[in-house]
Amino acid sequence: MSSEATVGAVEGPQRTLGQFALRFRVSGVLAFLILLSAGFALLRPQFLIPENLSAILSNAAILMIVAAAQAVILITRNLDVSVGSIMGFAAYLTADFAARNPGVGPALVLMPLAIGGALGALNGLLVSYGKVSPLIATLGTMSVYRGLTYVYARGQEVTSNRLPRWMIELADARLSGVPILVLLAAAVVCLLAAFLRFYPLGRRMYAVGSNPEASAFFGLRTQRIVLLAYVVGGVMCGLAGFLYAARVGTVTVILASGWELTSLAAAVIGGVSVTGGSGNVIGAALGAVVLATIDNGLVLLGVPEFWRMFIQGVAIVAAATADVVIATRIRRSLRVRRRLVRSAA
Amino acid sequence: MSRRLPQWELTLVVFTLVAAAWSATLSPYYLSLDQILNSTRQFVYPGILAVGLAVVVVLGEIDISLASTLAFGAVLFSKFSAAAAPIWLAVPIVVAACAALGALNGVLVARLGLPSLAVTLGTMGAFRGLAFILGSETGYTSFDDSYLYVGSEELLGSLPISFVLFCGVALAVGVLMRRTVFGRRCYAVGLNKEASWAAGIDVAQLKIQAYALAGGLAGLAALVWIGQYGSARGDNADGAILLVVTAVVLGGVDINGGRGGILGVVLALFLLGTMRNGMGLANVAGPTQTIVLGALLIAGVLRPAIFRAVARVYRLMFPRLADAPN
Amino acid sequence: MQRRSALLSGAAAIFAFALAFSGAGAKDSGFKIMMTPKWTGFPYFEAAARGGKDAADELGDQFVYAGADHADVTLQVETLQNFLTQKPDAIVLAAIDLNAVAPVLKQARKQGIVVTTFDADAAADARDMFFNQMSYKQAAKTMLDCALMDAPEGEVAFVAASPTSPNHSAHIKYMKEYIQNDPKYQVFKVVDTQYANDEDAKSYDVAINLMQAHPNLKVIISSSAVSAPAGARAIDASGHAGKVFSTGFALPSAIKTYLEDGSEKCFALWNPYELGYLATYATHLKLAGKLDLKPGTTFKAGKAGEYTVGEGGEIVYGKPLMFTKDTVDKAGF
């Protein structure tokens, strides 16, 4: 659909324009974030103190990872509404395991990654090989995964005192003032962004999302690529679930329920197109920061709770509008450019 | 296309009958006309929302803000009731107001070209926020009896009026989709937006009308809500949209547009209702119900894939039998 | 002759016994009691259900526990409707929305079913009795007493589930009243009220944002048992331990670490197991005709002790438990 942001292996002026377009898409949400922050800062100067900014980022950290996961899947023209259930399942099983085996070390983190990957793979299999519509498939697995978590938990929750010390400390630790959670999230997002941009497999995901039929024509193994997208998304959700458990401490069965919509909102605000093929994970991560900024700013301003939902809803629509306006402008400028190039040739 | 549809609807009917039989074995209380009719109440307001959503989905779009529109409608009804306005005045105004909210969605999607999932994700929060702002903290409960009539009363002793309303709505919209120009255009646009536009259909106006219809139906669903639950508050129907979407997709309406119909949605609602009713009467644990319904959704849509896989195996095992006879 | 009269009087005695026991509603055991919580899977409600089951077992009744897996009004009403169809003798519930469940509960009462609420009430004319863990005023006072243990004076903020949750709103209303009028609590100043929807991540984030918005904040008081431990965690994680405190209602298992390491000083709750036991026991008594709901009546509910019926069918359980470093272990849940 929106092919202008597909990073193709084309040389010359179009390549720079492609890169420029990509950066432009991120700068849409970045501009939105800066405007928002400026607004809050003007009204409440304490918004800008480093401690507050750090608080916003650490509140956003885990959502950044989940939004990035959702973005990867959206880019392939699919979606995943089971992300919250994957997080919950991975987090609960891992926390319960850790509680029963007190001496377990950092290798524990492999467990939620594996669980998340497996659940994501199931989603991917349903969508790519079972040819089930992604909305239906993940609606179904959302219920199944959450239900399984319940059945496993049998009405118990895992309290923070039963989690390994190193896990809690990881969540609280700081590196020269910056919370480790934030650094971790940023690292994961950047790695993913690099993968999507510089690795052929990553670029193929954009291709599949832009035009699945054409991609299949060109010999791309679309089914495998979609499956991989879901697996990557699942692994990230597993990681996010683990970090959620470490951060909040008490692990309940309804952990992260509702995060499917929040991650979707973050991705949308971040310029990821729900029709596939464009946007990137950095934008989605910034979208998560926007949501956390709104929450923080509204508390600082003392805005009544009722208005918060309304403002967030308007912000999502505004972000989507801004994104489309920018995309249209890019498309128009590309068309002009292409005409110039062609006429010059 | 039309040959594929009855197959799905038929599957739903079979599934529903199986579910009913299974429910009868799970609990001795199930098999009673009174009970079954009474149990339909729970699915009336999601059903009306689902019918409206189906129209939008056939067009190739989606609307996840419908539950929020319902909440807004309910709170608006409470304002009318508090002002002692007669019901025949309140209903058209509230339905119109909700249709206006729907039209807003339509304008954002059709004229500004925004992706519908993103837009309705935003309006979902915005409309509910409006409902909260307009409503009161504790919720309004002193509704005049005339407001509660539709959602709470029965005809002939056991036929809930709300169920009758739902059947009427489903029939009307079903006819709209199959027999009118509007409906045919919706299918055309859902199948191929560009070709329809080239053929002279005002796609934007059609979308706005569809969204307005869905919004208006949400207002009607609000009337059922307040009668059934007797309270209007900003958090009404919070989370209901998942069930509504499930009903629409389970009903065979293609999420990409152009296929499926109201009949499928109605049958899907009956199936979901029967399963929930049967499991509820047997006091099956909530989580188990959730798993079963989720698995049902997946199994339902996997059916063609399973058939295909079975057919492939059959062809591999009996190649000669699979050849056409000469 | 004597044998015949003995036989006759024996038969008459048996006949008299049979008459006495076959009288309408003169059953005193074997009732079917059905309980539904706000949502299943939450240890608090699971404990109440265990209490209910034990009471029913003790009294020879049948006990069924069922419900949806998340707090959804529609699902709770559906559960209640399904309960109704199974013709129980009594329904015990913790209502998610006091008005939304009223229509179906009124229908139940019309059919002669005894309706009991616990933890969260339904509309007063939709139920026979309500077991309030403590009066809203008592709850407010308990939380403020805990706050006093944390800080002798200073700024406080409230965290509740949502502006539409009736018990949390009542708590906050009375806490504000006490802070304004009662000299003991006038040392506090209310600076904010935030809502976290009973979600732990949201509660954590809200606590962080509150500490940023109000640099002199001393205590975060949470009516929600989900928000209090999350708040404690947030305080710990952001390095504010010892400067800001979290208190309110919380399950002892969830806040034990914070009490033990000294970062928090006091939380409160009550025994949900006993609350469930009490509600079910009293329901049985009502079914057996042994409980009169006139205000002022006292009754004994098995091992839970003696209670007095208050106004409008409300019976206050009234046994707050304050958990400190020394007492948290004795809680046993």
Side-chain angles (χ1 to χ4, degrees):
Chain A
M1 204 205 103
S2 13
S3 53
E4 72 282 351
T6 322
V7 186
V10 189
E11 55 276 296
Q14 269 180 308
R15 195 226 203 135
T16 17
L17 193 61
Q19 284 180 343
F20 172 70
L22 214 75
R23 238 176 284 139
F24 212 94
R25 280 213 102 126
V26 177
S27 53
V29 62
L30 198 58
F32 192 73
L33 184 62
I34 293 174
L35 257 142
L36 198 61
S37 310
F40 283 134
L42 275 169
L43 291 168
R44 283 275 185 285
Q46 77 222 63
F47 178 85
L48 282 181
I49 64 173
E51 205 185 328
N52 192 46
L53 296 177
S54 158
I56 294 176
L57 285 176
S58 66
N59 283 356
I62 299 175
L63 183 59
M64 287 184 354
I65 300 178
V66 186
Q70 186 74 257
V72 171
I73 297 171
L74 283 172
I75 284 170
T76 62
R77 206 190 269 195
N78 293 298
L79 89 160
D80 189 345
V81 294
S82 70
V83 290
S85 303
I86 297 181
M87 281 174 71
F89 192 83
Y92 194 92
L93 253 65
T94 309
D96 193 58
F97 179 82
R100 288 175 211 268
N101 304 285
V104 66
L108 177 70
V109 76
L110 291 173
M111 189 170 167
L113 295 181
I115 296 176
L119 297 181
L122 182 55
N123 282 340
L125 285 171
L126 284 170
V127 171
S128 58
Y129 290 94
K131 302 265 186 284
V132 181
S133 145
L135 179 60
I136 304 177
T138 54
L139 255 182
T141 54
M142 174 177 90
S143 299
V144 173
Y145 297 161
R146 184 67 67 186
L148 287 174
T149 313
Y150 259 90
V151 169
Y152 181 88
R154 267 188 288 246
Q156 301 298 315
E157 60 182 25
V158 182
T159 50
S160 57
N161 56 325
R162 295 172 68 206
L163 295 174
R165 260 290 82 182
W166 59 262
M167 196 168 151
I168 307 278
E169 273 160 23
L170 167 73
D172 300 346
R174 283 161 187 266
L175 197 62
S176 51
V178 185
I180 292 247
L181 272 184
V182 177
L183 293 173
L184 199 60
V188 168
V189 170
C190 285
L191 265 164
L192 207 57
F195 165 73
L196 284 171
R197 176 95 155 269
F198 298 120
Y199 269 75
L201 189 51
R203 296 215 286 265
R204 279 181 207 147
M205 286 187 179
Y206 278 101
V208 168
S210 276
N211 197 330
E213 291 88 15
S215 308
F217 243 47
F218 276 103
L220 292 184
R221 291 213 171 95
T222 49
Q223 285 171 324
R224 265 192 228 178
I225 292 173
V226 168
L227 177 61
L228 184 69
Y230 273 100
V231 170
V232 167
V235 169
M236 307 243 283
C237 287
L239 176 66
F242 176 79
L243 294 175
Y244 184 120
R247 180 170 143 100
V248 179
T250 320
V251 186
T252 60
V253 283
I254 51 174
L255 191 146
S257 63
W259 275 54
E260 48 281 337
L261 290 177
T262 325
S263 64
L264 210 52
V268 163
I269 292 179
V272 179
S273 171
V274 294
T275 45
S278 64
N280 57 50
V281 292
I282 298 192
L286 285 176
V289 177
V290 165
L291 286 175
T293 308
I294 294 178
D295 270 348
N296 177 279
L298 292 184
V299 174
L300 282 183
L301 287 172
V303 174
E305 172 71 7
F306 289 152
W307 285 93
R308 181 186 302 196
M309 211 178 275
F310 181 75
I311 292 174
Q312 277 182 340
V314 171
I316 294 174
V317 177
T321 313
D323 179 64
V324 164
V325 164
I326 293 174
T328 326
R329 228 171 260 151
I330 295 177
R331 218 179 297 148
R332 234 175 266 156
S333 79
L334 263 178
R335 233 176 274 148
V336 169
R337 268 288 202 139
R338 223 178 272 142
R339 226 171 282 148
L340 286 172
V341 169
R342 238 178 261 143
S343 61
Chain B
M1 171 187 130
S2 50
R3 213 182 305 151
R4 204 193 302 177
L5 293 177
Q7 207 182 24
W8 183 263
E9 271 78 342
L10 211 60
T11 315
L12 287 175
V13 173
V14 169
F15 268 32
T16 309
L17 289 173
V18 168
W22 184 55
S23 301
T25 60
L26 274 182
S27 166
Y29 299 101
Y30 178 75
L31 226 44
S32 132
L33 187 63
D34 270 356
Q35 191 284 123
I36 295 179
L37 281 177
N38 207 17
S39 73
T40 63
R41 282 185 204 274
Q42 317 295 343
F43 279 78
V44 169
Y45 87 81
I48 297 180
L49 292 179
V51 167
L53 179 63
V55 176
V56 172
V57 173
V58 161
L59 260 174
E61 303 289 356
I62 194 163
D63 186 348
I64 54 175
S65 69
L66 288 174
S68 306
T69 312
L70 186 156
F72 177 79
V75 168
L76 201 57
F77 267 122
S78 74
K79 294 288 175 216
F80 275 99
S81 178
I87 184 81
W88 51 260
L89 182 67
V91 171
I93 297 183
V94 172
V95 169
C98 293
L101 288 183
L104 176 62
N105 277 333
V107 164
L108 289 169
V109 170
R111 295 232 184 269
L112 289 188
L114 306 179
S116 54
L117 184 59
V119 164
T120 54
L121 185 63
T123 52
M124 179 173 81
F127 292 167
R128 193 169 287 284
L130 267 179
F132 269 114
I133 294 169
L134 197 62
S136 79
E137 253 182 35
T138 47
Y140 180 85
T141 52
S142 6
F143 277 104
D144 193 51
D145 274 345
S146 60
Y147 282 74
L148 302 176
Y149 181 72
V150 170
S152 57
E153 293 303 322
E154 295 106 19
L155 290 175
L156 310 170
S158 48
L159 187 65
I161 294 188
S162 55
F163 180 62
V164 174
L165 176 67
F166 167 70
C167 292
V169 165
L171 193 63
V173 178
V175 164
L176 180 76
M177 294 305 283
R178 288 281 178 217
R179 298 248 183 268
T180 65
V181 173
F182 172 83
R184 273 202 292 275
R185 284 192 181 149
C186 287
Y187 280 103
V189 169
L191 276 175
N192 195 328
K193 186 164 67 165
E194 282 78 15
S196 309
W197 178 82
I201 298 179
D202 189 342
V203 174
Q205 194 187 31
L206 200 68
K207 288 193 179 176
I208 295 175
Q209 284 171 342
Y211 271 102
L213 175 64
L217 284 176
L220 209 56
L223 178 64
V224 172
W225 172 283
I226 59 177
Q228 191 164 337
Y229 299 108
S231 94
R233 213 164 67 184
D235 61 1
N236 288 157
D238 201 4
I241 197 67
L242 245 48
L243 174 67
V244 174
V245 173
T246 305
V248 170
V249 295
L250 190 61
V253 180
D254 192 330
I255 204 73
N256 299 312
R259 274 188 251 273
I262 303 295
L263 177 62
V265 175
V266 172
L267 291 173
L269 284 161
F270 277 133
L271 175 57
L272 289 169
T274 308
M275 294 224 64
R276 277 244 292 255
N277 185 218
M279 289 197 285
L281 280 180
N283 300 314
V284 170
T288 315
Q289 287 198 31
T290 310
I291 298 179
V292 169
L293 287 169
L296 172 76
L297 186 59
I298 298 177
V301 283
L302 269 182
R303 195 188 52 92
I306 296 177
F307 273 19
R308 245 178 281 136
V310 168
R312 207 180 297 166
V313 169
Y314 183 78
R315 235 175 282 137
L316 281 171
M317 288 194 347
F318 308 106
R320 248 185 274 151
L321 277 174
D323 288 342
N326 43 350
Chain C
M1 181 74 195
Q2 264 179 328
R3 206 187 288 170
R4 230 208 302 172
S5 62
L7 219 59
L8 266 173
S9 43
I14 295 174
F15 189 55
F17 266 121
L19 258 182
F21 275 15
S22 70
K27 212 162 64 145
D28 74 337
S29 187
F31 298 117
K32 183 156 133 180
I33 302 179
M34 305 187 83
M35 179 194 270
T36 187
K38 281 193 189 176
W39 75 95
T40 60
F42 186 36
Y44 173 83
F45 286 121
E46 301 293 306
R50 277 197 300 275
K53 178 112 184 33
D54 284 351
D57 285 344
E58 200 179 300
L59 297 164
D61 291 327
Q62 189 195 354
F63 185 80
V64 176
Y65 175 67
D69 61 4
H70 58 279
D72 184 325
V73 170
T74 315
L75 290 177
Q76 188 173 58
V77 171
E78 207 178 307
T79 306
L80 290 169
Q81 188 63 57
N82 285 330
F83 276 9
L84 220 66
T85 314
Q86 299 176 63
K87 304 203 207 311
D89 294 298
I91 295 179
V92 181
L93 76 148
I96 296 175
D97 179 331
L98 80 165
N99 295 307
V101 297
V104 65
L105 289 179
K106 284 190 197 161
Q107 203 188 345
R109 292 188 74 205
K110 244 193 272 176
Q111 293 180 14
I113 299 174
V114 168
V115 175
T116 305
T117 49
F118 74 97
D119 181 80
D121 202 5
D125 58 351
R127 46 84 175 149
D128 289 287
M129 47 187 158
F130 167 47
F131 285 90
N132 200 349
Q133 44 272 34
M134 37 183 120
S135 67
Y136 295 136
K137 284 196 183 170
Q138 195 178 10
K141 247 200 190 177
T142 310
M143 284 199 276
L144 286 176
D145 284 336
C146 264
L148 275 178
M149 286 195 73
D150 288 327
E153 46 120 36
E155 294 184 357
V156 299
F158 300 130
V159 174
S162 118
T164 52
S165 36
N167 39 344
H168 295 182
S169 306
H171 294 168
I172 292 177
K173 175 175 126 186
Y174 287 121
M175 281 197 280
K176 283 189 180 165
E177 260 180 41
Y178 280 131
I179 290 181
Q180 199 159 28
N181 304 323
D182 189 331
K184 182 172 174 197
Y185 305 114
Q186 269 167 351
V187 292
F188 289 135
K189 178 168 155 224
V190 180
V191 293
D192 209 341
T193 305
Q194 288 295 327
Y195 302 94
N197 232 5
D198 274 335
E199 278 170 59
D200 34 21
K202 187 122 196 271
S203 309
Y204 187 107
D205 295 349
V206 161
I208 299 262
N209 287 336
L210 273 175
M211 289 190 278
Q212 289 307 311
H214 308 280
N216 296 319
L217 185 63
K218 271 270 153 4
V219 192
I220 301 177
I221 307 180
S222 309
S223 296
S224 154
V226 175
S227 304
R233 181 90 186 83
I235 291 172
D236 221 9
S238 59
H240 285 99
K243 287 178 250 156
V244 187
F245 296 91
S246 166
T247 191
F249 291 126
L251 282 165
S253 54
I255 37 90
K256 198 154 85 139
T257 9
Y258 308 113
L259 290 173
E260 281 169 0
D261 70 22
S263 57
E264 300 299 337
K265 303 230 182 92
C266 176
F267 289 92
L269 198 67
W270 52 90
N271 190 338
Y273 171 90
E274 205 172 56
L275 186 64
Y277 177 94
L278 168 64
T280 311
Y281 202 103
T283 306
H284 169 101
L285 291 176
K286 177 91 174 63
L287 283 168
K290 295 189 194 146
L291 176 58
D292 181 5
L293 286 174
K294 238 188 1 211
T297 324
T298 57
F299 66 95
K300 184 167 187 318
K303 57 184 182 185
E306 274 203 17
Y307 296 91
T308 316
V309 178
E311 293 296 323
E314 182 176 328
I315 298 159
V316 177
Y317 169 59
K319 292 190 194 170
L321 298 167
M322 278 176 50
F323 305 119
T324 59
K325 191 149 98 163
D326 314 307
T327 60
V328 69
D329 273 319
K330 301 195 207 115
F333 67 100

